[in-house]
Amino acid sequence: MKDLNMFCYQCQETAGCSGCTVKGVCGKTPEVARMQDLLVYVTKGLSEVTTKLRAEGKIISKEVNHLITLNLFTTITNANFDFDVFVDRVNKTLDVKKEMIEQLNSKENLGEAAMWDERELSVMEEKAKKVGVLATEDEDVRSLRELTIYGLKGLSAYSKHANMLYHDSEEVDAFLQEALYKTTQDLSVDELIELVLATGGAGVKGMALLDGANTDTFGNPEITEVNIGVRNNPAILISGHDLSDLKALLEQTKGTGVDVYTHSEMLPANYYPEFKKYDNLVGNYGNAWWKQKEEFESFNGPILMTTNCIVPPKDSYKDRLYTTGSAGYPGCKHFPGEAGSTKDFSAIIEHAKKCPPPTQIEDGTLVGGFAHNQVISLADQIVEAVNTGAIKKFVVMAGCDGRHKSRDYYADFAKALPQDAVIMTAGCAKYRYNKLGLGDINGIPRVLDAGQCNDSYSLAVIAMKLQEVFGLEDINELPIVFNIAWYEQKAVIVLLSLLYLGVKNIHLGPTLPAFLSPNVVDVLVKNFGIAGIGTVEDDIELFFNN
Ligand code: FSO
Ligand code: SF4
């Protein structure tokens, strides 16, 4: 086992549904995979130090909190492929860790990850081989530790977006660091299960923090028809999840003759009142992340990746691909800028001016904007539709899209739904069925898109509101079923958050995570009724005729 080139099993597309050991299916090289492992390791060490400093009553600065969340975020699937970035972040983390150890009154009993400090690249690379996932031998302990770490990675992503909008939660950061530290300790399986559930609790707080940051800054999403065609101007395509980057880009492109289009997870930005003020935000171009090879080519202009999901670019558009924040790709220009600084996007704007307008690939509009505030304002209409039997069931189909053929299931499932079922969605999973023309029920669209994957929080708020309106004791008595698609680690924190809120019988597909050991799957099945997916026919039967 220890001679493997790399080992990563954090996403749904992992090789053979068990682990990438030669090269990532995502395109991640073994060198990058190992340096990511080392970054997670030193971040665990720093988290031990910050946790102990807090216990001594010391204050941890926002800069340190942000360093930790950005470290984890850069290791999320498809965020960053740049080896040098990981080496830099390891070095930076070691610098900060060294300073913080100095501040500890009691320096005894620090763990190995907290103590480790080597700057020679060859020594770092040797260490990286020994601190990855397989360093934990017991399969169940490994599974629960990694489940926690992947949840924390997702939580870091959401925290980072909130931080960029000047919203911080010391409570969430302190939890995140303590939990990360705990993954280095000798906890029992029961204690680890508790840690996993507590991570879900922090996930709810993290998503609420981001929801507050987004709505305070950009207003509440509202029902919106989003144009999916193109205009005849040069343009920039912005992808990923970071709304603060979109705001800065729109400000800087104002009056330049350069249009801006959203891609994949940036689509929901079109639903916010603040972004509707910009005439040069034209609409959404294309589909989910994995179609970018074709869509970035036909877009013709430069593309700004603000987060994952990057697919290793084709040469035909690599010189048009720019990154910022957690995102990175070797050879592509990166725009730096932390919370509180203004990023300078002039290079991409100048580049756009020299490019032809996008080639149209679709036309028409998409309807979205069904986040909690908008849906709750329609509560009377929805309750009436439920009471009259016009709506019989809500089907939460949130989560991610991906490349595998097996994901055709989600389009087929959406098509096969009874006409009195309404889909509630968030995340890029929606692209499997948001252009199928599924119609409406008494004016309520049958696909209610709340937004990005983090806006799954909205779906939980809506469910809790409906529970209250219908006077139900338990959220599971609602006419809602959960058929969620996952791909990367943000979906893990969404799942853990739903479990924390007491949601049972979630179906997760297209395959169950490789990082769940058979015993951990058993625990999830027994306590939460978690299940995989079957055939469309069987699942329709199960969800609607039982
Ligand atoms: Fe999708 Fe990628 Fe939002 Fe993920 S674009 S897959 S769960 O990054 O974060 O839904
Ligand atoms: Fe493999 Fe996914 Fe890890 Fe990439 S992120 S190396 S595809 S498991």
Side-chain angles (χ1 to χ4, degrees):
M1 278 283 228
K2 65 177 184 296
D3 290 333
L4 291 176
N5 231 4
M6 61 178 279
F7 186 83
C8 181
Y9 64 172
Q10 65 177 356
C11 83
Q12 190 273 325
E13 293 188 358
T14 193
C17 245
S18 67
C20 295
T21 56
V22 180
K23 188 181 193 290
V25 170
C26 58
K28 183 159 85 178
T29 63
E31 292 74 23
V32 168
R34 293 193 300 260
M35 204 43 74
Q36 288 187 349
D37 289 344
L38 188 65
L39 181 58
V40 171
Y41 176 74
V42 297
T43 308
K44 287 174 182 170
L46 174 58
S47 295
E48 173 175 350
V49 179
T50 56
T51 301
K52 290 185 170 170
L53 282 168
R54 282 194 179 91
E56 290 180 3
K58 311 247 168 57
I59 301 212
I60 305 301
S61 70
K62 281 184 187 171
E63 287 70 29
V64 173
N65 290 337
H66 294 180
L67 172 91
I68 290 172
T69 47
L70 188 58
N71 281 357
L72 292 191
F73 194 177
T74 49
T75 69
I76 283 185
T77 302
N78 294 337
N80 203 309
F81 294 81
D82 196 334
F83 179 79
D84 294 344
V85 166
F86 291 101
V87 175
D88 280 356
R89 293 208 69 81
V90 169
N91 278 316
K92 193 158 186 227
T93 306
L94 291 175
D95 289 343
V96 171
K97 182 160 69 65
K98 196 171 172 190
E99 271 173 39
M100 308 222 58
I101 288 176
E102 289 306 309
Q103 295 169 31
L104 269 174
N105 296 338
S106 164
K107 299 182 182 52
E108 282 140 44
N109 302 323
L110 283 175
E112 193 207 284
M115 295 297 290
W116 189 82
D117 192 342
E118 298 284 347
R119 311 305 177 104
E120 187 78 41
L121 185 57
S122 59
V123 181
M124 286 162 90
E125 289 193 289
E126 272 314 300
K127 184 69 179 174
K129 290 179 189 163
K130 300 188 184 94
V131 296
V133 170
L134 299 177
T136 303
E137 273 167 26
D138 183 279
E139 185 187 40
D140 299 325
V141 173
R142 184 197 303 148
S143 175
L144 291 164
R145 282 182 175 172
E146 295 305 317
L147 177 55
T148 304
I149 291 168
Y150 303 151
L152 297 175
K153 287 187 182 193
L155 177 58
S156 292
Y158 296 155
S159 299
K160 156 85 171 38
H161 294 314
N163 300 159
M164 292 303 282
L165 298 170
Y166 308 103
H167 286 240
D168 280 83
S169 164
E170 165 59 19
E171 187 190 355
V172 169
D173 284 310
F175 174 87
L176 191 149
Q177 291 160 32
E178 186 176 1
L180 198 55
Y181 164 42
K182 282 186 174 166
T183 65
T184 67
Q185 291 180 304
D186 228 354
L187 300 189
S188 67
V189 164
D190 284 347
E191 286 169 324
L192 280 166
I193 291 171
E194 227 173 86
L195 184 63
V196 165
L197 292 181
T199 303
V204 176
K205 289 186 184 135
M207 284 196 280
L209 178 75
L210 179 53
D211 182 76
N214 285 338
T215 53
D216 285 356
T217 317
F218 306 118
N220 272 298
E222 52 197 23
I223 304 177
T224 307
E225 271 196 39
V226 181
N227 170 33
I228 57 172
V230 301
R231 295 201 304 210
N232 199 24
N233 298 322
I236 297 170
L237 188 61
I238 179 167
S239 193
H241 307 68
D242 198 308
L243 299 183
S244 73
D245 288 330
L246 175 63
K247 171 78 182 165
L249 185 66
L250 287 171
E251 270 303 305
Q252 293 174 39
T253 45
K254 230 171 28 183
T256 62
V258 172
D259 285 340
V260 175
Y261 295 77
T262 57
H263 183 259
S264 189
E265 273 287 72
M266 200 55 90
L267 157 67
N270 292 280
Y271 312 152
Y272 287 88
E274 179 63 23
F275 293 122
K276 292 183 181 174
K277 293 181 189 159
Y278 292 91
D279 295 338
N280 66 329
L281 176 60
V282 179
N284 190 70
Y285 187 86
N287 296 278
W289 64 273
W290 61 277
K291 295 221 172 138
Q292 66 190 250
K293 279 194 166 170
E294 295 74 42
E295 293 170 358
F296 287 2
E297 195 160 73
S298 62
F299 186 74
N300 301 329
I303 305 111
L304 178 62
M305 296 298 309
T306 64
T307 63
N308 54 333
C309 285
I310 300 176
V311 176
K314 294 207 272 201
D315 287 342
S316 57
Y317 63 82
K318 189 175 172 194
D319 67 322
R320 290 193 271 119
L321 193 71
Y322 293 75
T323 64
T324 190
S326 63
Y329 198 85
C332 294
K333 183 176 164 52
H334 183 83
F335 294 107
E338 298 297 324
S341 66
T342 306
K343 293 181 183 176
D344 175 5
F345 290 128
S346 51
I348 193 171
I349 298 168
E350 287 311 308
H351 189 158
K353 287 179 184 167
K354 296 183 204 118
C355 295
T359 304
Q360 177 141 311
I361 52 174
E362 292 172 302
D363 60 8
T365 56
L366 271 181
V367 179
F370 296 93
H372 56 88
N373 186 276
Q374 177 67 82
V375 174
I376 287 169
S377 75
L378 297 173
D380 289 350
Q381 209 182 324
I382 292 171
V383 169
E384 199 199 317
V386 173
N387 286 339
T388 60
I391 295 179
K392 290 245 168 53
K393 234 168 217 178
F394 296 93
V395 188
V396 173
M397 290 178 73
C400 325
D401 198 5
R403 295 170 263 232
H404 278 178
K405 181 87 185 108
S406 56
R407 288 185 190 256
D408 289 350
Y409 164 93
Y410 293 102
D412 296 341
F413 181 82
K415 285 187 227 162
L417 284 172
Q419 287 303 312
D420 49 19
V422 168
I423 296 173
M424 289 161 75
T425 193
C428 59
K430 62 169 113 358
Y431 287 99
R432 288 280 168 174
Y433 44 78
N434 67 349
K435 294 174 182 170
L436 296 177
L438 294 180
D440 64 274
I441 298 174
N442 301 342
I444 303 164
R446 289 188 59 230
V447 179
L448 298 178
D449 177 21
Q452 299 179 332
C453 45
N454 44 289
D455 295 309
S456 298
Y457 171 75
S458 257
L459 303 181
V461 171
I462 294 164
M464 289 187 284
K465 181 72 191 174
L466 291 177
Q467 181 190 349
E468 182 194 312
V469 174
F470 289 115
L472 302 173
E473 294 261 304
D474 186 330
I475 202 160
N476 296 295
E477 291 169 31
L478 281 168
I480 301 185
V481 291
F482 288 79
N483 193 2
I484 289 179
W486 83 285
Y487 171 55
E488 44 90 341
Q489 300 79 57
K490 288 180 221 171
V492 176
I493 195 64
V494 170
L495 174 72
L496 296 183
S497 301
L498 291 174
L499 297 183
Y500 177 83
L501 291 173
V503 176
K504 297 247 162 55
N505 304 323
I506 296 173
H507 288 249
L508 190 62
T511 52
L512 287 182
F515 54 80
L516 296 180
S517 67
N519 287 332
V520 172
V521 171
D522 263 5
V523 170
L524 293 175
V525 171
K526 283 198 191 105
N527 295 303
F528 300 100
I530 291 261
I533 57 169
T535 64
V536 168
E537 262 181 13
D538 288 352
D539 287 351
I540 293 282
E541 180 66 26
L542 179 74
F543 285 133
F544 296 95
N545 298 328
N546 262 328

